[in-house]
Amino acid sequence: MEFDWSVIGEAMPALLSGARLTVLITIAGLVGGLIVGFVAGLMRAYGNAMLNAIAFAYVELIRGTPIVVQVMFIYFALPVLADIRVNPMTAAVTAIVVNAGAYIAEIVRGSFLSVHKGLKEAGLALGLPMWKVLVYIIGPVAFRRMIPPLGNQFIVSLKDTSLFIVIGVGELTRQGQEIMAANFRAVEIWSAVAILYLLMTGTLTLILRVTEKRMRIL
């Protein structure tokens, strides 16, 4: 079989549209995931028994189930339980928020607890409230340490968007499938899809490496 480059050229507008949607879902999901993850991570690290138990249950529930099951539950089961309508985009972004948040929570917890307890004791000895100790003393050190694992989670979440094909979200993989179903040029289409994913993950990796270098990761 001869590789036909013109097939990729014809499909590229639709594939780029899917790639843009992939990036949009990833960014929106990770913004929410960071907020959820930081809250849950701090609850795990410094919360009382009840807060710790709530965060622990959330993290274990999400880490113990596949993201495909989570998005299917949000899209198909949640409307039945809560009598609400959930569109595919909302379900996709929510799934990234919920899934990434659980993994980010453990990254945050581990990073904060890895900071030597002497820093916290010194801050408290100076009369600073606990929240200022976390923000101004422990936080900057912990943040540097969590950048590499956060970067890895960002890349995983970007690739996880391909699983939203199951609910009909028109992201990159869905676009590739529809084009391939129309022209039956699987080699060209899936090669182009793979290259676009590599470009997105490669760009994200480069940004993270520059960030790590500039912040002098400990």
Side-chain angles (χ1 to χ4, degrees):
M1 174 182 171
E2 184 178 349
F3 194 92
D4 190 351
W5 289 98
S6 66
V7 172
I8 296 179
E10 294 171 1
M12 195 53 67
L15 292 178
L16 289 176
S17 175
R20 284 193 293 270
L21 189 57
T22 292
V23 172
L24 177 62
I25 293 171
T26 304
I27 292 174
L30 287 176
V31 168
L34 282 169
I35 296 172
V36 172
F38 266 86
V39 172
L42 292 176
M43 287 168 63
R44 289 274 285 128
Y46 301 107
N48 57 32
M50 182 187 302
L51 293 177
N52 191 306
I54 293 171
F56 177 79
Y58 159 66
V59 170
E60 292 305 309
L61 175 64
I62 299 304
R63 293 202 306 175
T65 54
I67 189 172
V68 172
V69 173
Q70 294 161 18
V71 74
M72 296 282 272
F73 184 90
I74 293 169
Y75 186 62
F76 291 110
L78 190 59
V80 176
L81 295 174
D83 194 25
I84 57 174
R85 184 176 179 83
V86 180
N87 63 52
M89 270 293 293
T90 301
V93 173
T94 303
I96 292 292
V97 171
V98 171
N99 186 269
Y103 289 93
I104 291 172
E106 287 301 282
I107 293 171
V108 170
R109 182 184 71 88
S111 298
F112 272 83
L113 293 181
S114 72
V115 178
H116 195 281
K117 64 180 182 180
L119 289 178
K120 183 178 79 170
E121 293 170 354
L124 294 174
L126 291 173
L128 296 176
M130 186 61 183
W131 71 269
K132 284 191 175 182
V133 173
L134 293 177
V135 172
Y136 297 113
I137 298 177
I138 299 177
V141 179
F143 182 70
R144 287 180 173 88
R145 294 181 179 178
M146 71 176 71
I147 287 179
L150 276 180
N152 182 65
Q153 180 58 45
F154 291 171
I155 292 172
V156 169
S157 293
L158 189 150
K159 293 189 293 183
D160 279 347
T161 59
S162 65
L163 300 173
F164 300 148
I165 189 175
V166 298
I167 59 171
V169 176
E171 42 70 53
L172 179 56
T173 301
R174 175 76 177 191
Q175 293 291 349
Q177 183 194 47
E178 292 182 350
I179 296 168
M180 192 273 295
N183 61 19
F184 301 101
R185 304 294 296 192
V187 175
E188 291 89 345
I189 297 304
W190 292 120
S191 295
V193 169
I195 289 170
L196 287 174
Y197 273 114
L198 285 170
L199 287 174
M200 289 188 288
T201 57
T203 301
L204 183 54
T205 300
L206 180 61
I207 293 172
L208 291 167
R209 285 183 178 175
V210 171
T211 303
E212 289 178 24
K213 187 175 182 180
R214 288 177 64 87
M215 296 193 69
R216 300 175 185 230
I217 302 303
L218 299 179

